[in-house]
Amino acid sequence: MSRRSVLFTPGDRPDMLRKAPRSGADVVVFDLEDAVAPARTDDARAAVREVLSDPAFDPDCEVCVRVNPGERAIADLEALLESSSLRFDGVVLPKVSAGVDVERLSTFLTDRDRTVPVFALIETARGVLAADEIAAVPATDALVFGAEDLAADVGASRTPEGTEVVYARQRVVLAAAAHGCTAIDTLHTDFEDEAGLREDTAVARQFGYDGKLAIHPAQIEPIHDAFTPSEADVAWAERVLEARRAADADGRGVFEVDGEMIDQPLIERAERVLELASETDAV
């Protein structure tokens, strides 16, 4: 399942909720937290419940709900689950600081026969330091890095270069990789800055992230471009795997492609390129 783009949509805007899947995002998130004023929480819960319970709402992407942190997460889910026909594919849990946060949410859902993946949003100092523990919880299906809240938590100033969050950004992607979770990178807040978004997304891919957060539909295409293998990538991967078959027949563990010595790590990279290309219809 490809999760190149994760688009947030305000939970108190029913018209936007229904349109969000048409953005082309791989994952859409109906947001009950940051995008909703506290005074409109009940309105947002009702709107999200109505849309997710509507048989006519049949999106072709993953649909998740971002709940509020702490005990408010349970209140959000209790309100949503008043509808027995509610359809959602995952929960985005903010401000995760320990594995027990995910376990508590997972237990609540399991007790109500609503077992779904949890996207753990790592956006505090405690969360970054506990990233490995959080990723190890079976219900954790994705780690999501949140640079803006992290910077506020530690008193850092955000810069275009992002050097103040590099350590945390890398720690999150390492924890995700160690436990087989999807790694989703932080958002680029200026949705009119396409050049900056493309540069930032290229860095995320280099770090090993699988996708990136988005706050506007205009960000989807640049994000997909970065996380979709190019024709050159696919051609290289096909040459590597073809050469491997010849090398296996000759009993050789190392072989050459395009002047480069290929061994097991590069073979695995080629396999991942073709897997991702298949998921994103790039082949």
Side-chain angles (χ1 to χ4, degrees):
M1 179 186 305
S2 178
R3 290 171 172 164
R4 297 165 297 176
S5 57
V6 179
L7 176 67
F8 285 97
T9 301
D12 59 347
R13 297 288 302 276
D15 54 334
M16 294 180 67
L17 297 178
R18 292 182 182 278
K19 292 178 182 177
R22 300 201 292 271
S23 67
D26 292 331
V27 184
V28 296
V29 179
F30 291 178
D31 193 3
L32 296 176
E33 193 210 15
D34 285 348
V36 176
R40 290 188 56 80
T41 296
D42 288 341
D43 293 333
R45 289 169 175 169
V48 170
R49 183 175 62 241
E50 179 183 353
V51 172
L52 293 181
S53 301
D54 184 353
F57 182 71
D58 187 25
D60 58 0
C61 61
E62 262 188 293
V63 177
C64 301
V65 177
R66 175 159 73 167
V67 295
N68 283 282
E71 291 303 317
R72 288 182 293 165
I74 302 304
D76 287 336
L77 290 171
E78 285 178 335
L80 296 180
L81 293 175
E82 289 177 6
S83 169
S84 61
S85 60
L86 194 79
R87 169 259 162 100
F88 64 105
D89 303 308
V91 175
V92 178
L93 182 62
K95 305 292 191 300
V96 178
S97 62
V100 68
D101 296 338
V102 177
E103 291 170 352
R104 186 181 299 114
L105 180 73
S106 177
T107 298
F108 173 87
L109 290 168
T110 300
D111 288 346
R112 288 153 182 79
D113 297 322
R114 290 297 188 119
T115 302
V116 295
V118 176
F119 291 57
L121 189 44
I122 310 299
E123 52 186 344
T124 65
R126 287 172 60 87
V128 170
L129 294 179
D132 184 71
E133 170 195 327
I134 294 164
V137 176
T140 303
D141 202 55
L143 292 188
V144 184
F145 177 51
E148 305 305 319
D149 282 86
L150 175 65
D153 188 45
V154 303
S157 298
R158 292 290 278 129
T159 64
E161 299 77 18
T163 53
E164 68 282 354
V165 296
V166 165
Y167 168 74
R169 199 178 187 187
Q170 292 179 329
R171 185 175 178 117
V172 169
V173 76
L174 284 171
H179 295 282
C181 298
T182 304
I184 308 297
D185 188 41
T186 191
L187 56 82
H188 187 76
T189 56
D190 185 353
F191 60 82
E192 295 182 339
D193 177 23
E194 181 177 325
L197 172 63
R198 289 185 180 277
E199 182 178 351
D200 192 39
T201 308
V203 171
R205 184 180 181 188
Q206 290 171 352
F207 279 5
Y209 277 91
D210 302 295
K212 193 167 181 65
L213 300 180
I215 54 173
H216 193 280
Q219 295 182 313
I220 302 303
E221 182 178 348
I223 289 173
H224 283 190
D225 286 347
F227 286 107
T228 302
S230 66
E231 291 182 2
D233 291 335
V234 172
W236 171 83
E238 290 174 338
R239 290 196 299 273
V240 167
L241 296 186
E242 181 179 353
R244 182 190 64 173
R245 288 189 286 271
D248 286 346
D250 295 339
R252 292 179 287 116
V254 179
F255 52 92
E256 180 183 341
V257 173
D258 300 338
E260 179 181 28
M261 295 305 298
I262 305 295
D263 57 7
Q264 189 59 34
L266 288 179
I267 291 172
E268 292 175 2
R269 177 183 166 193
E271 290 173 338
R272 178 55 185 151
V273 166
L274 292 184
E275 178 184 355
L276 183 57
S278 176
E279 291 174 352
T280 58
D281 296 325
V283 293

